[in-house]
Amino acid sequence: MQQLNRVRNILLLLVLHLTLYAQKPEVLIITTGGTIASQTNAPLIEGSELIGAVPDLQRYAKVQVVEVFRTGSSKMTPAHWLRLSHFIDSVAQQQPQLRCIVITHGTDTMEETAFFLNLTHRHSLPIVLTGSMRSSNEVSADGPANLIQAVRVGIHPQAPGKGVLVVLNENISAARDLLKMHNRRVDTFGPDQYGYLGFVSPDTVLFYRSPLRPHTLDTPFDLRQVKELPNVEVVSDYAGFDPEILDYFYGRPNAGLVVSTFAGGRISAGVTEGLRRLTPGGKPIVLASGIKSGWIEGTFSQRRPWITANDLPPNKARILLMLALTQTNDPDKIQEFFHHY
Ligand code: ASP
């Protein structure tokens, strides 16, 4: 009899456990590689292995894993962004039950992928990117904690409507504001001049702010039919810049150019001369400050025929210019995009 009772209790517990699990929010984790998937002196680990090593995730969500690609993010290209964007679009259509998507990604270009998705993910399904600064087999690896925090943020009732989010080291950043600030430390991201949107503690997720610049559902950048993004390059100014460097861009198949400027959007005599020679070519040129905080003023005009990137740094200005070029070549309209997004 005692034996029977014990078996019955175990079965009841099992049913209870399964019922509770079935009620958990569904989360898709998309893996793309990065340090979070790396091991010292060994190849990057596969997505399912990476997620399987964090069983605590099951406490918060029912998790599916898909590896879209596996690469160090310094090797990421616009073709990877497009693939990711098309994949996310099909998932958002086909799996309306999902509560959020979490993307594991290298930190080298996380600023770029996050901003790209922030402007092109035209759904309400929250997206949270995360990664790590330490390899998965390093002492005190930060990947597992970051992954759990990203899932907790993604399923939080206040996550929708804030655009693409990035969670690392207990901080929640808006994709537009993400700024990599340290080569090695686990708190590599920010805070930038705008600060974090919120924080994650062992027991709570706390949001304090919301981004104001339009994102996700409020953008016009529909990439569903786009097979290739316009090619935009970035050139950095410095003391004594040789204008001939810009001549190189005459014959290039690039659709536009971003110049990383000094503070306030100031440029050297070499860049000024090089741009004057390039401008009649008709390709839009954007000036973006290479200084990490503040903004630059100005607007496209006949006298100064260059678009101003406002507070966007050169890598993000490049992304906005690429997206703008999928819609228009008109510099006044492109300038409007920079005032708006
Ligand atoms: N090499 C890594 C990357 O893929 C660096 C990182 O993830 O922190 O970006």
Side-chain angles (χ1 to χ4, degrees), residues 130-204:
T130 192
S132 76
M133 291 299 286
R134 295 183 184 143
S135 305
S136 62
N137 59 350
E138 231 176 299
V139 173
S140 289
D142 49 334
N146 287 342
L147 192 53
I148 290 174
Q149 287 163 21
V151 167
R152 289 176 53 213
V153 168
I155 61 177
H156 192 272
Q158 288 181 328
K162 294 193 170 52
V164 170
L165 301 171
V166 175
V167 172
L168 216 89
N169 199 40
E170 302 189 348
N171 300 312
I172 310 170
S173 303
R176 191 181 188 280
D177 306 338
L178 194 69
L179 184 61
K180 183 154 173 168
M181 293 173 72
H182 201 281
N183 280 290
R184 169 73 198 150
R185 290 196 188 139
V186 293
D187 61 346
T188 187
F189 286 126
D192 81 322
Q193 60 182 332
Y194 304 113
Y196 299 116
L197 296 186
F199 305 98
V200 189
S201 74
D203 304 319
T204 37

Side-chain angles (χ1 to χ4, degrees), residues 88-90 92-93 120-126 216-217:
I88 290 171
D89 186 58
S90 66
Q93 306 287 348
T120 57
H121 172 63
R122 298 169 80 243
H123 299 273
S124 53
L125 182 65
T216 54
L217 287 171

Side-chain angles (χ1 to χ4, degrees), residues 33-36 71-74 105-109 131-134 180:
T35 294
I36 191 166
T71 182
S73 78
S74 53
H105 194 289
T107 63
D108 288 343
T109 57
S132 76
M133 291 299 286
R134 295 183 184 143
K180 183 154 173 168

Side-chain angles (χ1 to χ4, degrees), residues 243-265:
E244 280 185 21
I245 290 171
L246 288 176
D247 289 348
Y248 167 79
F249 291 99
Y250 269 119
R252 294 276 302 163
N254 65 323
L257 186 68
V258 172
V259 179
S260 171
T261 74
F262 302 121

